[in-house]
Amino acid sequence: MLEQSMTVFVEIVLLCGLAFYVACNLGANDVANSMGTSVGSKALTLKQAIIVAGILEFSGAVFFGERVSKTLATGVVNLEVFISTPQVFVIGMVSVLLSAGLWLQIATLKGLPVSSSHAVVGAIAGFSCIAAGVKAVNWQTIGLISLTWLVTPVISGLIAALFYKLIKYWILDQPDPDRQIQEWIPWLSSILIGIFGVIVFPILSSPLQTILTQWGWTLPVHDIFLALGGIAAVSLTGFSWRQLDQQQQDSSSNPIPEKFPGIEKQMAGFQVISACFVAFAHGSNDVGNTIAPLAAILAVIKTGSVPLDDIEIPIWILLLGGSGIVTGLAIWGKNVIKTVGENIISLLPSQGFCAELATATTVLLASRLGLPASTSHALVGGVVGIGLVQGGKEVRLDTVRSIALAWVITVPSAAIISGILFKIFNRL
């Protein structure tokens, strides 16, 4: 009995190590997207971006990563097929972890931003087809993801282009942009807080309402969120006005050229905040790509059967995934950050702000419609949209072609690697 328990313990430790490896590669590739534009526009240094993204991605993953993990663990494969062979399902999920990690590492070494969601989904489809035939895959889900490939970058590009044209017209191209930015700071603050609130507050509303009810409070939870949002928007507006006044005083007394020309220095502050929101939202969604297979495996080990319904996601698994994400971002993230932030077009803070705002908005819209969205696709689409507004001459088409090719081959590549690994592991 003791020997069997030790064997199970060793297996779990090895599986956790494998999941940590996948999380590291997700952090190095997918997470780097959230800060790429901030580094490219010089609003943040690479070191600052890694620290900020690490904190926010970890927070989003730990506090809000449970829902996506449950969906990925049980939604892509038809689990009824594996009811009589749970051990095959476990071997398959191990193949998914390793193949997704390998593909993300290959893409990261090449500096290509790919979708970890697509890598995991492709890997699950690959092992399922080999293990139980094409009927084991939920092809409707695969088709929906394929549709998202096409829609996400287009929508994000359009939104980014619209945001940037409005900012150019109402602020940057005005005779007195300093005065215009003062008038627009409250609106920009409200937009940022509003987008973040709509992403986070629906997730918090149900558990918070339960807690308030237990304490005997009858105050509706949406009133609390409205108050918090208002306080945050007013605080951000006041801070930005104060920062703008300080910048104007410094520029009048210091003849040394500034890091950003004119109004772009103020826009750099807004871009940092928008990048933080993207990082937090991304962590809450994409940590599931790392820990969903691990959670499914542990559910089988614990119950001895394939989980047909929602599975429990222990907090320690979320902590494991968040830690791996931060580690990978710190070690390897600079390659993809450079591709997104510098190798598509050269960005100013106002342009990076619009690209990140479009990314957050697109991911939010997709979530509300129940569509699986890719942060990588949304952010690259936003950057390209900014380039097209400028006439398209600055867009480096060779980089865009390389990224698009990486997107197209992610699912089949992960599926093939997963299928091969499954055959090997199953024989062993």
Side-chain angles (χ1 to χ4, degrees):
M1 185 67 179
L2 179 61
E3 183 179 350
Q4 183 179 4
S5 299
M6 286 298 297
T7 301
V8 172
F9 175 76
V10 171
E11 290 175 350
I12 292 176
V13 170
L14 292 175
L15 289 170
C16 290
L18 183 56
F20 186 83
Y21 164 72
V22 179
C24 286
N25 283 289
L26 186 146
N29 192 288
D30 225 12
V31 176
N33 297 321
S34 60
M35 287 292 164
T37 47
S38 293
V39 174
S41 68
K42 305 300 187 294
L44 290 173
T45 65
L46 180 61
K47 183 178 180 180
Q48 290 171 337
I50 289 174
I51 293 173
V52 171
I55 294 172
L56 290 165
E57 291 276 355
F58 182 83
S59 301
V62 172
F63 293 111
F64 301 103
E66 182 177 5
R67 295 195 309 168
V68 176
S69 302
K70 290 182 177 180
T71 300
L72 281 173
T74 59
V76 177
V77 59
N78 294 323
L79 295 172
E80 293 83 358
V81 176
F82 298 100
I83 290 178
S84 60
T85 55
Q87 71 278 6
V88 174
F89 179 74
V90 169
I91 294 172
M93 282 300 180
V94 172
S95 304
V96 169
L97 281 172
L98 187 55
S99 59
L102 288 172
W103 176 249
L104 287 173
Q105 184 168 25
I106 292 170
T108 302
L109 293 175
K110 297 292 184 181
L112 297 174
V114 297
S115 171
S116 59
S117 305
H118 297 164
V120 171
V121 170
I124 293 174
F127 104 79
S128 299
C129 287
I130 298 297
V134 294
K135 293 182 179 180
V137 181
N138 189 337
W139 292 107
Q140 184 177 0
T141 301
I142 301 294
L144 198 59
I145 293 174
S146 300
L147 177 63
T148 309
W149 290 346
L150 301 176
V151 173
T152 299
V154 174
I155 292 179
S156 182
L158 291 174
I159 295 175
L162 176 62
F163 279 153
Y164 186 59
K165 285 184 72 71
L166 290 175
I167 287 179
K168 274 181 62 67
Y169 180 79
W170 289 107
I171 301 176
L172 301 178
D173 293 341
Q174 293 295 316
D176 188 0
D178 289 332
R179 180 180 177 184
Q180 289 298 112
I181 191 65
Q182 283 187 327
E183 296 179 0
W184 273 85
I185 279 175
W187 294 103
L188 295 175
S189 301
S190 299
I191 290 172
L192 280 173
I193 299 299
I195 290 177
F196 181 72
V198 177
I199 291 173
V200 175
F201 288 167
I203 304 172
L204 285 173
S205 59
S206 180
L208 183 57
Q209 188 67 66
T210 301
I211 294 173
L212 292 177
T213 303
Q214 291 174 349
W215 288 353
W217 292 8
T218 58
L219 184 66
V221 69
H222 60 77
D223 289 346
I224 298 177
F225 289 150
L226 286 174
L228 291 175
I231 293 171
V234 170
S235 300
L236 180 57
T237 298
F239 175 79
S240 300
W241 273 336
R242 183 177 179 181
Q243 187 182 40
L244 181 60
D245 291 339
Q246 185 65 42
Q247 289 172 3
Q248 291 173 346
Q249 293 174 9
D250 292 343
S251 61
S252 61
S253 61
N254 185 6
I256 299 175
E258 295 287 345
K259 183 178 181 180
F260 300 118
I263 207 65
E264 290 293 342
K265 186 171 184 177
Q266 181 64 35
M267 295 304 300
F270 281 103
Q271 187 192 354
V272 172
I273 298 173
S274 65
C276 291
F277 288 172
V278 173
F280 186 91
H282 179 271
S284 67
N285 279 273
D286 279 30
V287 70
N289 300 330
T290 298
I291 66 175
L294 175 61
I297 293 171
L298 295 179
V300 174
I301 293 175
K302 181 178 180 180
T303 64
S305 61
V306 175
L308 297 179
D309 300 319
D310 284 347
I311 61 176
E312 180 183 355
I313 308 294
I315 185 64
W316 69 266
I317 294 185
L318 293 171
L319 289 168
L320 176 70
S323 301
I325 285 173
V326 174
T327 302
L329 175 66
I331 297 175
W332 299 309
K334 61 181 180 181
N335 291 341
V336 176
I337 285 178
K338 184 176 181 180
T339 297
V340 175
E342 301 177 3
N343 292 350
I344 298 178
I345 62 170
S346 298
L347 291 170
L348 291 172
S350 59
Q351 298 162 351
F353 167 73
C354 293
E356 288 163 356
L357 199 60
T359 299
T361 304
T362 303
V363 173
L364 170 63
L365 290 173
S367 299
R368 289 293 167 267
L369 295 173
L371 296 173
S374 167
T375 310
S376 309
H377 293 193
L379 194 55
V380 171
V383 173
V384 172
I386 297 295
L388 294 178
V389 169
Q390 297 176 287
K393 294 181 180 179
E394 294 188 12
V395 177
R396 300 183 179 96
L397 295 179
D398 55 339
T399 302
V400 176
R401 280 193 293 265
S402 298
I403 293 173
L405 179 61
W407 289 351
V408 171
I409 65 175
T410 291
V411 166
S413 298
I416 292 171
I417 297 173
S418 178
I420 294 173
L421 291 174
F422 173 77
K423 292 286 287 185
I424 295 172
F425 293 156
N426 201 33
R427 288 184 179 276
L428 295 176

